[in-house]
Amino acid sequence: MPILKIDGKDIEVPVGTSIIEAAKKAGIEIPHYCYHPGLSVAGNCRMCLVEVEKFPKLQISCYTPVTEGMVVHTQSERVKDAQQAVLEFLLVNHPLDCPVCDQSGECELQNYYMKYGLYDSRLMEDKVKKHKAVSIGPTVMLDGERCVLCSRCVRFCDEVTHTHEMGIVNRGDRAEIEVAPGKEVDNDYSGNVVDICPVGALTDKDFRFKCRVWFLAQTPSVCPGCSRGCNIEIHWNKERPYQTPGERVMRLKPRFNADVNKFWICDEGRYNYHWIDQGRLLKPMQKRRGVPHEVSWEEAFGTLSGLFLRPQEMGVIVSTDMTNGDLAMAQQLFVSELKVKNVAYQWIRKSGKEDELLMKADKTPNTRGAQALGFEDRSGEIYEQIEKGQIKILFLFGHNLMEILGKDQAEKMRSHLETLVILGPHAHEGINLADWALPSAVYAEKNGTFTNFEGRVQKISKAFPPMGMAKSEREILKEMARQAGIHINLTV
Amino acid sequence: MNRSELTFIERLYIFEALKGILLTSRHFFWNLFLHTTHLFGLLKNKSAAVTVQYPDEIRPYAPRLRTRHHLVPRADGSPRCVACMLCETVCPAKCIYIIAGEHPDPNVEKVAKRFDLDLGKCVYCGFCVEVCPEDAIRMDTQIMNIAAYSREEMLLDINELLRPGSRKQS
Ligand code: SF4
Ligand code: SF4
Ligand code: SF4
Ligand code: SF4
Ligand code: FES
């Protein structure tokens, strides 16, 4: 493995590593636009120039492989001059739309200008005008003037999705990003071009003008959209909630994980967040003479713990949307303590789109986790037993019977039951069937883990407190158990 | 704080009251005398007290004085403000509330759909004016009388900010 010197530091890296990667390993930042570790190297922006001893000219660090004994300078006067000049060149026709640009605050032009630019503009000519605010697909907006022609988006469509929608047309200062005639940037991963665009040329329609990025808080989490378990960051509006009344989550962004999703997430997962804040069940409800009434948690716990005296008439259907902690609590309470026989998980969204890259057909995040905890997919048997009258009490986690069984069948099933308890985050139509509807927290509102389809256990973190009076399933079950005199000690 | 004990004379009150009246009367008659002589062009080198009969009479304010805010309109009447939220970000009193929307012209793109400013919280620091990249908010209305009967009335909406004084007073 060659050893080289960058800014006086000795670094050992494998053969073929580029200088920029070697520098990153040593904690030295080299500014760059076109280089992206998830894409091929284009070497067109020239922002990453460094000085290599014994080379007459400056070299682009993204494309120059290291050699034994190489001596690199990233901070010399020549490099600084070059960085400033490149930046000035890239910004010659730039519109400086920062006040209206959604990228503002996380823009590499802004960042690098403050770090490596700081020159006064010398431009006397009129700037070249290009297309602005063009919709190039269902999720992406293009602003031609803001583009620095790094070609990351083009390479993404060529190399990652192989859909080839984008290209660069014309030459010189007229060069512009275009979408292939008759096409749209409409693939299952199109949102990623917004993430990799280092400037505000590609912006997300879903996020457009919703919130300034500096008002956002970030919480690391895992996408609950399918069993791949892509690592994500939840960006939510912490500082200015009145700007987006009733909406806390502003967007989801991929979080790098070399083993799961690399830099990407699919669009299904990316825009799969509006349900976090919409249609939520806010208070525990009890049905009295057919009409739902709000009750306090104490009332609910008190009454429901009484049901634990009849475990042989009980059925439990958990969902694969629950975290391992919640599932473990259900397992401990119903299986280990109460010895309920009819405990199962049910898949609700088990056959969706699947592809080579990330998307899995199982659209729930924790099927492997449920299986590992001993739950089996035998909800069908439970429904049969309900019809036969052997099960009188059903604990249902998150499921909508109306959706699963259809309206008539669900109502029939309901009539066989004595008590139906639904724990779930949403106030869907199926909730009306329940005698007890208990609001539970969604994944963004709790800590825990999901096990992805490969068996990889990944952590999710609580971004904000549960909406309304909701509590996590774990807390609800633990409290109910406590009231029934069962103490469960779980550290998951 | 140390207060000296009142003397017997002071505690009688009447002498102290007379002393006060004497002082006020001295100023009154002296200024009356000076104003009268000024009318005849005499004793001009001695200045007399000036009283402005506010609100019937309003002193001219310096143009740089920070007075009530206003949003600058474009030629078509829409606000020049592009809802960049810099003023909202910098405002130390957190009294600016903006909601952005789409502008039909792609060269403008963004415009404030809602712009509320709570004068009840504003500290008149002028940071919002200073930070605005569009020169869209100014504190140059020369309006100083911002009293109101309720907190709600202290909240200026986008219409009132675009056309200061247009809101009906209750
Ligand atoms: S791309 Fe960056 S520099 Fe350009 S207008 Fe947007 S935020 Fe400003
Ligand atoms: S649109 Fe963005 S990613 Fe694509 S070439 Fe331009 S700057 Fe690069
Ligand atoms: S003057 Fe100061 S306190 Fe008042 S709105 Fe402007 S920034 Fe906020
Ligand atoms: S700083 Fe100016 S342009 Fe930006 S939101 Fe405030 S008033 Fe509008
Ligand atoms: S990052 Fe090396 S040339 Fe663009």
Side-chain angles (χ1 to χ4, degrees):
Chain A
M1 297 223 288
I3 299 179
L4 75 158
K5 220 185 212 12
I6 305 182
D7 291 347
K9 269 193 218 171
D10 283 322
I11 303 152
E12 192 176 349
V13 287
V15 185
T17 313
S18 57
I19 298 177
I20 200 169
E21 280 298 326
K24 201 194 276 173
K25 221 177 145 194
I28 297 166
E29 186 206 29
I30 298 177
H32 58 277
Y33 288 115
C34 67
Y35 175 70
H36 189 285
L39 302 170
S40 67
V41 177
N44 60 25
C45 75
R46 320 310 282 186
M47 192 65 212
C48 64
L49 288 169
V50 292
E51 191 172 349
V52 183
E53 276 181 21
K54 303 207 187 82
F55 273 65
K57 291 207 241 167
L58 299 180
Q59 296 297 310
I60 52 171
S61 60
C62 62
Y63 202 40
T64 314
V66 300
T67 52
E68 181 64 44
M70 203 178 221
V71 183
V72 180
H73 300 285
T74 71
Q75 301 294 325
S76 66
E77 277 315 305
R78 269 179 84 198
V79 173
K80 284 183 180 162
D81 270 358
Q83 286 167 339
Q84 201 181 39
V86 168
L87 205 53
E88 185 173 8
F89 183 61
L90 288 173
L91 282 167
V92 156
N93 285 310
H94 199 78
L96 293 181
D97 279 343
C98 304
V100 298
C101 181
D102 270 337
Q103 188 84 3
S104 191
E106 52 183 12
C107 173
E108 293 305 347
L109 283 171
Q110 292 181 328
N111 293 348
Y112 290 165
Y113 178 81
M114 297 314 286
K115 265 195 199 154
Y116 309 102
L118 294 178
Y119 56 83
D120 291 323
S121 172
R122 291 179 288 178
L123 186 78
M124 310 286 226
E125 295 75 20
D126 287 339
K127 294 196 174 196
V128 178
K129 298 296 287 176
K130 290 180 189 168
H131 295 107
K132 291 189 83 67
V134 196
S135 160
I136 57 166
T139 61
V140 189
M141 294 291 285
L142 166 71
D143 189 301
E145 291 180 354
R146 293 179 202 155
C147 170
V148 294
L149 296 165
C150 70
S151 82
R152 275 186 187 182
C153 53
V154 179
R155 278 175 284 148
F156 178 83
C157 293
D158 288 348
E159 296 163 12
V160 181
T161 60
H162 306 289
T163 44
H164 314 283
E165 293 106 338
M166 305 182 79
I168 296 177
V169 297
N170 296 339
R171 293 193 300 175
D173 61 2
R174 310 262 148 200
E176 218 177 320
I177 285 287
E178 280 272 6
V179 181
K183 272 203 173 182
E184 277 196 319
V185 184
D186 183 12
N187 55 59
D188 292 328
Y189 296 86
S190 50
N192 290 295
V193 297
V194 175
D195 300 338
I196 57 174
C197 181
V199 302
L202 299 176
T203 48
D204 204 319
K205 278 188 188 169
D206 182 70
F207 185 64
R208 193 167 164 81
F209 303 161
K210 226 164 41 173
C211 184
R212 288 311 238 167
V213 298
W214 55 85
F215 295 145
L216 298 174
Q218 290 102 353
T219 309
S221 191
V222 171
C223 174
C226 83
S227 58
R228 170 78 58 178
C230 292
N231 292 207
I232 56 164
E233 242 174 29
I234 301 173
H235 288 193
W236 52 285
N237 190 346
K238 187 182 187 183
E239 303 208 11
R240 298 292 193 278
Y242 54 80
Q243 286 183 341
T244 50
E247 269 184 274
R248 293 172 297 178
V249 181
M250 294 286 97
R251 60 179 184 183
L252 304 181
K253 283 271 179 189
R255 185 161 56 93
F256 175 71
N257 185 328
D259 301 316
V260 181
N261 56 315
K262 306 217 169 57
F263 303 91
W264 327 118
I265 52 172
C266 72
D267 284 2
E268 248 176 43
R270 182 183 299 266
Y271 304 114
N272 175 29
Y273 65 86
H274 294 283
W275 54 269
I276 294 178
D277 295 316
Q278 286 169 7
R280 292 289 298 271
L281 185 63
L282 298 175
K283 293 190 174 130
M285 307 286 260
Q286 184 196 11
K287 209 185 249 172
R288 294 184 191 146
R289 286 186 220 95
V291 188
H293 281 270
E294 286 172 13
V295 290
S296 69
W297 276 115
E298 287 67 36
E299 272 179 274
F301 291 147
T303 323
L304 289 172
S305 55
L307 297 174
F308 292 171
L309 298 172
R310 301 156 60 193
Q312 48 307 351
E313 294 168 51
M314 205 184 262
V316 178
I317 302 180
V318 298
S319 97
T320 48
D321 286 329
M322 291 160 69
T323 64
N324 285 321
D326 295 329
L327 288 168
M329 182 59 81
Q331 198 266 351
Q332 284 282 314
L333 174 63
F334 294 113
V335 183
S336 306
E337 297 286 342
L338 297 173
K339 311 274 187 293
V340 177
K341 285 201 193 64
N342 299 299
V343 178
Y345 74 79
Q346 180 161 24
W347 261 332
I348 11 176
R349 304 176 301 274
K350 64 174 167 185
S351 48
K353 209 168 186 175
E354 173 152 341
D355 67 11
E356 310 276 271
L357 196 52
L358 294 176
M359 295 206 279
K360 300 299 290 176
D362 173 6
K363 296 294 171 196
T364 57
N366 203 22
T367 310
R368 274 295 288 268
Q371 286 164 348
L373 280 161
F375 293 98
E376 288 168 35
D377 181 18
R378 19 184 295 269
S379 51
E381 285 169 42
I382 295 185
Y383 293 130
E384 267 171 37
Q385 295 202 37
I386 294 175
E387 292 203 343
K388 284 191 207 143
Q390 287 159 345
I391 293 178
K392 294 226 156 56
I393 303 160
L394 182 63
F395 276 85
L396 197 61
F397 287 82
H399 296 300
N400 181 353
L401 280 183
M402 296 269 200
E403 210 177 276
I404 298 172
L405 303 170
K407 192 168 184 293
D408 298 336
Q409 194 62 20
E411 272 163 9
K412 207 169 121 211
M413 194 68 67
R414 171 71 196 86
S415 61
H416 291 293
L417 283 169
E418 200 181 295
T419 312
L420 173 62
V421 184
I422 302 184
L423 284 87
H426 288 100
H428 47 69
E429 44 167 1
I431 281 285
N432 297 330
L433 297 173
D435 298 290
W436 291 87
L438 308 179
S440 66
V442 299
Y443 79 104
E445 298 167 340
K446 55 190 173 192
N447 292 316
T449 53
F450 285 143
T451 310
N452 85 345
F453 77 105
E454 306 161 304
R456 187 184 295 277
V457 181
Q458 304 189 96
K459 193 165 167 283
I460 59 166
S461 322
K462 179 175 178 173
F464 31 71
M467 198 185 254
M469 286 164 69
K471 290 175 187 282
S472 72
E473 286 93 342
R474 240 176 97 182
E475 282 175 84
I476 300 173
L477 293 178
K478 187 167 185 173
E479 193 50 37
M480 261 190 231
R482 206 181 58 80
Q483 300 252 341
I486 306 167
H487 287 273
I488 301 175
N489 267 328
L490 258 192
T491 41
V492 252
Chain B
M1 192 180 173
N2 279 333
R3 288 176 198 272
S4 51
E5 279 287 304
L6 294 183
T7 61
F8 177 70
I9 303 276
E10 278 166 347
R11 269 191 291 149
L12 275 181
Y13 183 70
I14 177 86
F15 295 108
E16 290 301 303
L18 282 175
K19 241 160 95 182
I21 290 168
L22 210 69
L23 187 75
T24 318
S25 318
R26 204 183 77 216
H27 281 296
F28 175 76
F29 287 111
W30 177 240
N31 278 307
L32 185 68
F33 169 70
L34 279 181
H35 279 298
T36 322
T37 51
H38 286 179
L39 281 184
F40 297 105
L42 299 169
L43 286 182
K44 276 274 185 192
N45 56 341
K46 292 229 181 308
S47 62
V50 192
T51 306
V52 177
Q53 298 300 324
Y54 185 86
D56 300 332
E57 195 187 318
I58 289 175
R59 242 172 92 175
Y61 300 132
R64 51 173 284 194
L65 180 71
R66 293 199 291 267
T67 48
R68 219 185 81 180
H69 312 65
H70 105 270
L71 283 179
V72 185
R74 291 177 195 270
D76 65 357
S78 68
R80 198 192 264 181
C81 166
V82 295
C84 71
M85 321 252 170
L86 288 188
C87 53
E88 176 166 346
T89 307
V90 79
C91 176
K94 291 210 166 67
C95 66
I96 300 178
Y97 313 98
I98 304 167
I99 290 183
E102 194 92 23
H103 195 283
D105 180 356
N107 284 311
V108 179
E109 267 198 90
K110 201 178 173 190
V111 70
K113 282 275 175 277
R114 246 187 68 190
F115 194 115
D116 296 339
L117 199 152
D118 191 347
L119 284 182
K121 290 187 189 157
C122 173
V123 296
Y124 275 69
C125 63
F127 284 3
C128 49
V129 179
E130 196 88 1
V131 79
C132 180
E134 307 285 325
D135 188 16
I137 188 165
R138 295 184 190 160
M139 294 177 77
D140 61 352
T141 51
Q142 306 271 320
I143 300 176
M144 291 283 270
N145 50 340
I146 54 162
Y149 288 105
S150 68
R151 291 195 176 161
E152 288 68 47
E153 281 172 67
M154 294 298 275
L155 194 79
L156 306 180
D157 64 3
I158 191 165
N159 294 321
E160 172 64 20
L161 283 164
L162 278 169
R163 290 170 287 277
S166 64
R167 185 167 68 176
K168 277 205 193 70
Q169 296 291 323
S170 57

